[in-house]
Amino acid sequence: MNDALDWLRTSPLLGLFLTLFGYRLGLELQQRVPVAWKAVAQPVLVALVVIGTSLWALDISYDDYLVGGSIIGFFLGPATVALAVPLHRQAHHLGRMFVPMVVALPVGAVIGIATGVLAVRLLGGDHVLELTMAPKSATTPVSLAISTSIGGLPALTAVLAIVTGIISAVAAPALLDLARIRDRRARGLAIGASSHGIGTSRALREHPTEGAFSGLAMGLTALLVSLLTPIVLILL
């Protein structure tokens, strides 16, 4: 039994299997729960719970999990680039949304950076924590790079970016419905700018146009956050 556990801990198949199993379980759960709970039963959230619980129960370190889990991470780049496909199919919508995007996305990026920094400051956090919190509005790989370059804690920034994406993916559609925003393009921009890849994957399941604009907003927000973070930090 001990030999089997030792092999399991060091096998790259462990991280790969846990990740795929957790996400698949999340998809099945989301399809079976009542409509009122579908927003909460996000596959990524379910996968996080499954993976975390399994690692704790089997006494497996995160480094051992990452041996196989990083195989999934490798495909993150190509998957992000592939978001250009639905965007290309919806390209005829871009002209009419140019002005709203030019206004909304930079304003959203500045608010995301500023609120993160000011929240830490108001709660008594130190300067390093402010720098860690500032790039949370960008998608995880970009927020990691920004945090490293400005002197934050990249590992904590990654956690904050993921938590931000999960919370936004759960709450954003309900808030948009509450605000009576029905335009698929506007919904996609809002979700992509706040929920990163997690929200974009949900938007793609909702509607092709919504998913395309969510992917566009995610990419542009990452670019804007990387450009605006140093400026906002200086002003604050």
Side-chain angles (χ1 to χ4, degrees):
M1 185 64 178
N2 289 334
D3 290 341
L5 283 175
D6 288 340
W7 177 84
L8 187 63
R9 290 189 182 98
T10 56
S11 172
L13 295 176
L14 171 69
L16 186 62
F17 171 78
L18 278 180
T19 305
L20 294 176
F21 173 75
Y23 191 79
R24 182 62 192 178
L25 183 63
L27 288 174
E28 292 292 333
L29 183 64
Q30 192 177 49
Q31 290 176 0
R32 298 177 191 277
V33 298
V35 176
W37 289 92
K38 284 188 180 294
V40 179
Q42 286 294 312
V44 174
L45 182 58
V46 175
L48 284 173
V49 173
V50 169
I51 294 169
T53 304
S54 300
L55 295 182
W56 172 78
L58 296 173
D59 192 25
I60 296 171
S61 70
Y62 177 72
D63 289 336
D64 288 336
Y65 158 78
L66 201 60
V67 173
S70 59
I71 297 173
I72 301 292
F74 170 79
F75 291 99
L76 218 94
T80 303
V81 173
L83 290 172
V85 175
L87 179 62
H88 174 71
R89 292 172 179 166
Q90 303 294 327
H92 55 283
H93 290 298
L94 288 176
R96 286 170 288 179
M97 292 297 291
F98 179 76
V99 174
M101 285 191 298
V102 169
V103 175
L105 293 180
V107 170
V110 170
I111 290 174
I113 299 165
T115 52
V117 173
L118 293 176
V120 172
R121 190 172 299 174
L122 289 171
L123 294 172
D126 61 16
H127 184 59
V128 174
L129 192 55
E130 290 181 8
L131 298 178
T132 302
M133 190 74 160
K136 65 167 176 38
S137 296
T139 189
T140 305
V142 177
S143 65
L144 277 169
I146 298 171
S147 182
T148 302
S149 66
I150 63 177
L153 304 173
L156 183 55
T157 299
V159 173
L160 292 169
I162 292 170
V163 170
T164 300
I166 291 173
I167 293 174
S168 298
V170 171
L175 291 174
L176 290 169
D177 288 340
L178 191 63
R180 299 182 180 179
I181 297 174
R182 308 291 184 218
D183 190 297
R184 293 291 184 180
R185 299 166 299 177
R187 290 176 68 92
L189 288 175
I191 291 172
S194 60
S195 309
H196 320 322
I198 299 171
T200 298
S201 66
R202 178 178 179 178
L204 282 166
R205 293 197 300 271
E206 295 288 337
H207 194 275
T209 300
E210 193 170 313
F213 276 85
S214 183
L216 176 63
M218 180 182 70
L220 292 177
T221 298
L223 175 62
L224 288 166
V225 170
S226 64
L227 294 174
L228 294 173
T229 296
I231 299 171
V232 174
L233 289 173
I234 292 172
L235 294 175
L236 294 177

